[in-house]
Amino acid sequence: MADPAFAAEALMLEGRLTLTPIDALTELTWKAQDLAEKADGRRVAIGIAGGPGTGKSTLAAQLVAALNVANPGSAALVPMDGFHMKHAKLEGLGQTDFKGAPHTFEAGAFVAFLQGLKAATGPVSGPGYSRKIEDTVEDAFTVPAETQVLVVEGNYLLLDTGDWAQVRPLLDFSAFIVVPREMVRERLMKRHGEEGLFSEERNRAHIERNDLPNYDLIMTTLGRADLVIDLEVAQ
């Protein structure tokens, strides 16, 4: 259980906080536990949004682990990335250079999946994304029937256009993670190079043409979050 004294102090400032990753995890753990306790048995969805390379995926996974330590089986991770369009479809559309942009996701399918998850009474499997093949994979995770907290993670959870606009109303609480743009550039260069699938030149061009403009777009959505967290991270 998170320290209630810390949580109470943080809540007085809720809106925008500057926190270390550990303190961010503490705050979000307390918030998720509090929402779950007040939910009268229904499922709640905690959204962790932010641009690419901000560490939101790591934080979301850590949040699920912390909740499950306190209450085994209570939380499950629901990543948005499994709803990328299939690479073959993007090739057919001539959109591979823009992979990761809002229009290269199956946003309507993601919305339907979240709606089904919130109402489900049995186990539900969902798709994921593999950086080893740069494509989606089916049945990458399963949300057990007993799960009460869905930790939903992704770039465009707070976007208010097209089908994406239907995501925010499904979230009981949303946090937006902010990391400086230059640090994001460095992290994305490392990420794109990890599997050795592309050249450094290609990765740099993709980041400048696609990833950083997506980061800029996502930053315009932070005003729709319940809490904005500026992460204090080592350079």
Side-chain angles (χ1 to χ4, degrees):
M1 183 74 175
D3 180 355
F6 171 83
E9 180 181 354
L11 281 174
M12 288 190 294
L13 301 172
E14 189 164 300
R16 187 155 189 166
L17 300 174
T18 299
L19 300 172
T20 66
I22 292 175
D23 286 344
L25 177 60
T26 300
E27 170 64 11
L28 292 175
T29 301
W30 179 87
K31 172 57 73 174
Q33 290 171 331
D34 183 58
L35 285 171
E37 289 170 4
K38 295 175 179 176
D40 295 325
R42 70 178 178 84
R43 275 187 170 166
V44 297
I46 309 294
I48 309 294
T54 56
K56 65 187 180 303
S57 300
T58 298
L59 183 57
Q62 291 172 338
L63 175 58
V64 169
L67 293 170
N68 284 334
V69 166
N71 186 6
S74 64
L77 182 63
V78 182
M80 184 200 79
D81 274 359
F83 291 86
H84 272 87
M85 287 182 182
K86 283 287 189 181
H87 193 78
K89 182 175 180 178
L90 290 176
E91 286 181 331
L93 295 171
Q95 291 295 305
T96 55
D97 284 349
F98 299 98
K99 192 172 190 176
H103 69 280
T104 66
F105 284 82
E106 306 285 5
F110 180 57
V111 169
F113 183 73
L114 287 183
Q115 290 170 334
L117 266 186
K118 292 201 75 174
T121 56
V124 178
S125 294
Y129 189 84
S130 171
R131 298 197 182 281
K132 294 184 180 298
I133 60 172
E134 291 293 342
D135 211 346
T136 58
V137 290
E138 299 302 317
D139 300 325
F141 67 93
T142 299
V143 177
E146 65 271 19
T147 296
Q148 188 183 7
V149 179
L150 306 171
V151 179
V152 185
E153 174 269 318
N155 293 343
Y156 302 119
L157 305 184
L158 305 180
L159 202 61
D160 61 357
T161 56
D163 288 329
W164 292 113
Q166 300 178 63
V167 176
R168 179 64 184 91
L170 296 172
L171 304 176
D172 297 273
F173 179 84
S174 61
F176 189 99
I177 309 304
V178 178
V179 167
R181 196 176 191 269
E182 285 306 307
M183 183 173 290
V184 163
R185 178 187 276 112
E186 294 173 8
R187 288 180 171 184
L188 291 176
M189 278 297 296
K190 181 179 179 181
R191 175 192 293 178
H192 285 306
E194 282 177 348
E195 301 300 333
L197 298 177
F198 308 107
S199 69
E200 181 176 339
E201 182 180 5
R202 176 269 178 197
N203 292 340
R204 192 176 304 281
H206 185 81
I207 289 166
E208 298 299 329
R209 178 186 61 249
N210 193 54
D211 292 344
L212 289 178
N214 290 339
Y215 171 92
D216 294 338
L217 171 64
I218 293 159
M219 285 294 292
T220 69
T221 72
L222 63 78
R224 303 188 78 206
D226 295 301
L227 175 64
V228 177
I229 298 176
D230 292 283
L231 278 187
E232 289 184 335
V233 288
Q235 297 293 326

